[in-house]
Amino acid sequence: MLINANFTSPNFTDRKKPIEYIIVHYTEMPFNLALNRLIDKEAEVSSHYLIKEDGEIFQLVADDKIAWHAGKSFWKGQSALNQNSIGIELDNLGNNKFSREQINSCLTLSKVLVQKYSVPSINFIGHSDVAPDRKIDPGIFFDWQFFANNDLGIWHDVSRLEYKELYYFGDKGDMIRKLQHNLAQLGYKIEESSEFDMQTNYVIRAFQSKFYPSLLLKRGVNFFNDFESIYSWDSVSEEMLAKLLIKY
Ligand SMILES: [Zn+2]
């Protein structure tokens, strides 16, 4: 695996915790802008790796340092995930597909990192998982099923089921509390408010964009441009969540 080490970021701190997670992002801007930003002291952001659309891998921060990629974050009871994660940025505007070369580089790199640091394979996750109220990357075009087929992350293996809408924004009751409880079990930060509120909406967005992107495409949800889009919960998502929880 070739790694371009010609660019380094000053934006890092010393790592004190072992590496437990790999967090995937997209840059949401053209490659040169993203690279310049990730190595700009003023920007105060960075990632360990940046993968160009053509598949070239850049290392900007050493693995044994904390890079500043996840920000305020939470997953499975832990917060401030920068401390124990490796951040991988993918050169992508957010509203377009990833190239095959780029995905292959991401897979090769992640496999090496998982092996090297004994990262549990289910801890290959996205920025939207750990910050669902702020972030939507790596978005609906990141193929989580492909990575799960290669032992990175998890997938539900639900293909076709009868689709039925279950809950809508504003719904209240025990069934919403149970849904919130189950989403929290998966790892998301969500309070059991018993109401399909905005925090629930954001977590459902994170869940469906990752595990059921075809639904978002079919429903015509303006995923990329409208951060305040309202989502709903359905029988297929419910089945996917149940299948995923069994894998924990
Ligand atoms: Zn991100």
Side-chain angles (χ1 to χ4, degrees):
M1 182 176 61
L2 278 176
I3 292 187
N4 185 329
N6 293 334
F7 302 88
T8 53
S9 177
N11 303 328
F12 63 83
T13 34
D14 280 336
R15 199 192 277 289
K16 298 187 180 78
K17 291 183 173 177
I19 296 163
E20 286 182 80
Y21 290 94
I22 294 175
I23 299 178
V24 186
H25 305 257
Y26 59 54
T27 54
E28 211 180 325
M29 61 185 80
F31 178 78
N32 285 331
L33 282 182
L35 176 59
N36 286 333
R37 183 169 148 79
L38 291 167
I39 61 175
D40 176 6
K41 200 168 173 51
E42 303 275 298
E44 298 186 334
V45 293
S46 60
S47 63
H48 296 91
Y49 298 93
L50 168 64
I51 305 179
K52 202 174 176 180
E53 193 177 17
D54 66 7
E56 186 173 11
I57 302 171
F58 294 74
Q59 179 151 28
L60 310 176
V61 173
D63 294 351
D64 64 354
K65 304 292 183 195
I66 293 173
W68 306 343
H69 57 96
K72 192 168 188 288
S73 50
F74 178 96
W75 188 249
K76 276 198 240 173
Q78 294 188 60
S79 47
L81 275 289
N82 278 346
Q83 293 179 28
N84 57 351
S85 67
I86 294 262
I88 300 176
E89 285 279 359
L90 299 169
D91 166 29
N92 184 283
L93 296 177
N95 55 1
N96 59 300
K97 291 194 170 135
F98 297 92
S99 76
R100 189 34 65 190
E101 294 80 6
Q102 195 175 27
I103 289 305
N104 286 339
S105 290
C106 184
L107 177 65
T108 305
L109 172 63
S110 301
K111 290 293 249 185
V112 168
L113 295 170
V114 160
Q115 172 100 42
K116 193 168 176 184
Y117 301 112
S118 304
V119 174
S121 64
I122 60 166
N123 289 356
F124 179 80
I125 55 179
H127 201 185
S128 55
D129 287 323
V130 302
D133 55 337
R134 299 187 300 115
K135 296 291 172 181
I136 58 171
D137 59 315
I140 55 176
F141 296 112
F142 190 79
D143 191 348
W144 291 100
Q145 184 174 15
F146 168 78
F147 282 87
N149 288 342
N150 286 283
D151 297 319
L152 288 170
I154 54 172
W155 191 249
H156 44 67
D157 301 321
V158 172
S159 50
R160 259 179 294 171
L161 266 182
E162 204 172 319
Y163 179 87
K164 187 166 152 267
E165 296 268 351
L166 297 178
Y167 315 132
Y168 300 93
F169 190 82
D171 281 355
K172 292 182 182 137
D174 270 353
M175 73 292 183
I176 302 296
R177 199 167 66 84
K178 186 160 177 283
L179 170 59
Q180 290 169 329
H181 178 81
N182 287 339
L183 288 165
Q185 288 291 109
L186 201 58
Y188 294 105
K189 181 174 181 153
I190 184 167
E191 278 174 39
E192 295 184 23
S193 64
S194 304
E195 183 183 346
F196 193 143
D197 45 16
M198 210 56 191
Q199 55 137 9
T200 308
N201 191 60
Y202 290 144
V203 171
I204 288 175
R205 172 179 62 193
F207 181 92
Q208 292 180 338
S209 64
K210 181 174 188 177
F211 296 115
Y212 198 4
S214 62
L215 174 68
L216 270 51
L217 289 166
K218 195 173 72 187
R219 287 187 61 211
V221 172
N222 198 346
F223 176 78
F224 183 72
N225 292 310
D226 184 2
F227 200 80
E228 303 299 320
S229 291
I230 296 301
Y231 295 77
S232 59
W233 191 252
D234 60 89
S235 55
V236 178
S237 297
E238 181 82 1
E239 179 69 15
M240 290 171 176
L241 179 54
K243 285 260 167 68
L244 290 164
L245 285 173
I246 294 169
K247 305 200 172 187
Y248 268 43

